[in-house]
PDB file of all heavy atoms in Angstrom:
ATOM      1  N   GLY A 322      64.957 139.144 127.773  1.00  0.00           N
ATOM      2  CA  GLY A 322      64.381 138.308 128.816  1.00  0.00           C
ATOM      3  C   GLY A 322      63.326 137.357 128.290  1.00  0.00           C
ATOM      4  O   GLY A 322      63.324 136.165 128.626  1.00  0.00           O
ATOM      5  N   ALA A 323      62.430 137.864 127.431  1.00  0.00           N
ATOM      6  CA  ALA A 323      61.326 137.035 126.926  1.00  0.00           C
ATOM      7  C   ALA A 323      61.817 135.952 125.968  1.00  0.00           C
ATOM      8  O   ALA A 323      61.374 134.795 126.046  1.00  0.00           O
ATOM      9  CB  ALA A 323      60.302 137.928 126.235  1.00  0.00           C
ATOM     10  N   SER A 324      62.726 136.293 125.061  1.00  0.00           N
ATOM     11  CA  SER A 324      63.164 135.330 124.054  1.00  0.00           C
ATOM     12  C   SER A 324      63.968 134.194 124.681  1.00  0.00           C
ATOM     13  O   SER A 324      63.805 133.022 124.305  1.00  0.00           O
ATOM     14  CB  SER A 324      63.990 136.034 122.968  1.00  0.00           C
ATOM     15  OG  SER A 324      65.176 136.604 123.522  1.00  0.00           O
ATOM     16  N   TYR A 325      64.835 134.519 125.648  1.00  0.00           N
ATOM     17  CA  TYR A 325      65.641 133.471 126.270  1.00  0.00           C
ATOM     18  C   TYR A 325      64.771 132.582 127.166  1.00  0.00           C
ATOM     19  O   TYR A 325      64.961 131.365 127.216  1.00  0.00           O
ATOM     20  CB  TYR A 325      66.792 134.078 127.064  1.00  0.00           C
ATOM     21  CG  TYR A 325      67.810 133.061 127.532  1.00  0.00           C
ATOM     22  CD1 TYR A 325      68.508 132.291 126.613  1.00  0.00           C
ATOM     23  CD2 TYR A 325      68.061 132.856 128.886  1.00  0.00           C
ATOM     24  CE1 TYR A 325      69.434 131.343 127.029  1.00  0.00           C
ATOM     25  CE2 TYR A 325      68.988 131.922 129.317  1.00  0.00           C
ATOM     26  CZ  TYR A 325      69.665 131.164 128.378  1.00  0.00           C
ATOM     27  OH  TYR A 325      70.581 130.226 128.789  1.00  0.00           O
ATOM     28  N   TRP A 326      63.816 133.189 127.852  1.00  0.00           N
ATOM     29  CA  TRP A 326      62.889 132.401 128.678  1.00  0.00           C
ATOM     30  C   TRP A 326      62.102 131.441 127.791  1.00  0.00           C
ATOM     31  O   TRP A 326      61.935 130.257 128.127  1.00  0.00           O
ATOM     32  CB  TRP A 326      61.938 133.327 129.429  1.00  0.00           C
ATOM     33  CG  TRP A 326      61.058 132.589 130.410  1.00  0.00           C
ATOM     34  CD1 TRP A 326      59.936 131.842 130.134  1.00  0.00           C
ATOM     35  CD2 TRP A 326      61.242 132.494 131.829  1.00  0.00           C
ATOM     36  NE1 TRP A 326      59.415 131.310 131.276  1.00  0.00           N
ATOM     37  CE2 TRP A 326      60.192 131.686 132.336  1.00  0.00           C
ATOM     38  CE3 TRP A 326      62.195 133.019 132.714  1.00  0.00           C
ATOM     39  CZ2 TRP A 326      60.072 131.398 133.687  1.00  0.00           C
ATOM     40  CZ3 TRP A 326      62.061 132.730 134.063  1.00  0.00           C
ATOM     41  CH2 TRP A 326      61.015 131.929 134.539  1.00  0.00           C
ATOM     42  N   LEU A 327      61.625 131.943 126.652  1.00  0.00           N
ATOM     43  CA  LEU A 327      60.860 131.102 125.731  1.00  0.00           C
ATOM     44  C   LEU A 327      61.714 129.931 125.239  1.00  0.00           C
ATOM     45  O   LEU A 327      61.257 128.785 125.205  1.00  0.00           O
ATOM     46  CB  LEU A 327      60.381 131.948 124.552  1.00  0.00           C
ATOM     47  CG  LEU A 327      59.609 131.206 123.458  1.00  0.00           C
ATOM     48  CD1 LEU A 327      58.292 130.652 124.005  1.00  0.00           C
ATOM     49  CD2 LEU A 327      59.342 132.131 122.268  1.00  0.00           C
ATOM     50  N   MET A 328      62.943 130.205 124.849  1.00  0.00           N
ATOM     51  CA  MET A 328      63.812 129.158 124.340  1.00  0.00           C
ATOM     52  C   MET A 328      64.061 128.078 125.389  1.00  0.00           C
ATOM     53  O   MET A 328      63.913 126.877 125.121  1.00  0.00           O
ATOM     54  CB  MET A 328      65.145 129.758 123.887  1.00  0.00           C
ATOM     55  CG  MET A 328      66.071 128.736 123.221  1.00  0.00           C
ATOM     56  SD  MET A 328      67.715 129.362 122.872  1.00  0.00           S
ATOM     57  CE  MET A 328      68.541 128.994 124.420  1.00  0.00           C
ATOM     58  N   MET A 329      64.443 128.497 126.599  1.00  0.00           N
ATOM     59  CA  MET A 329      64.794 127.527 127.638  1.00  0.00           C
ATOM     60  C   MET A 329      63.585 126.724 128.117  1.00  0.00           C
ATOM     61  O   MET A 329      63.739 125.601 128.620  1.00  0.00           O
ATOM     62  CB  MET A 329      65.453 128.243 128.812  1.00  0.00           C
ATOM     63  CG  MET A 329      66.785 128.892 128.469  1.00  0.00           C
ATOM     64  SD  MET A 329      68.024 127.718 127.882  1.00  0.00           S
ATOM     65  CE  MET A 329      68.494 126.938 129.435  1.00  0.00           C
ATOM     66  N   SER A 330      62.378 127.262 127.976  1.00  0.00           N
ATOM     67  CA  SER A 330      61.183 126.542 128.424  1.00  0.00           C
ATOM     68  C   SER A 330      60.613 125.629 127.339  1.00  0.00           C
ATOM     69  O   SER A 330      59.821 124.736 127.645  1.00  0.00           O
ATOM     70  CB  SER A 330      60.113 127.540 128.877  1.00  0.00           C
ATOM     71  OG  SER A 330      59.738 128.393 127.809  1.00  0.00           O
ATOM     72  N   VAL A 331      61.031 125.814 126.095  1.00  0.00           N
ATOM     73  CA  VAL A 331      60.436 125.067 124.980  1.00  0.00           C
ATOM     74  C   VAL A 331      61.336 123.947 124.466  1.00  0.00           C
ATOM     75  O   VAL A 331      60.857 122.862 124.124  1.00  0.00           O
ATOM     76  CB  VAL A 331      60.073 126.029 123.824  1.00  0.00           C
ATOM     77  CG1 VAL A 331      59.759 125.268 122.535  1.00  0.00           C
ATOM     78  CG2 VAL A 331      58.893 126.901 124.214  1.00  0.00           C
ATOM     79  N   VAL A 332      62.662 124.181 124.406  1.00  0.00           N
ATOM     80  CA  VAL A 332      63.537 123.249 123.678  1.00  0.00           C
ATOM     81  C   VAL A 332      63.574 121.854 124.302  1.00  0.00           C
ATOM     82  O   VAL A 332      63.877 120.876 123.603  1.00  0.00           O
ATOM     83  CB  VAL A 332      64.978 123.805 123.571  1.00  0.00           C
ATOM     84  CG1 VAL A 332      65.007 125.039 122.708  1.00  0.00           C
ATOM     85  CG2 VAL A 332      65.579 124.069 124.942  1.00  0.00           C
TER      86      VAL A 332
END
Side-chain angles (χ1 to χ4, degrees):
S324 62
Y325 190 60
W326 186 282
L327 178 64
M328 185 187 88
M329 295 300 284
S330 61
V331 167
V332 294

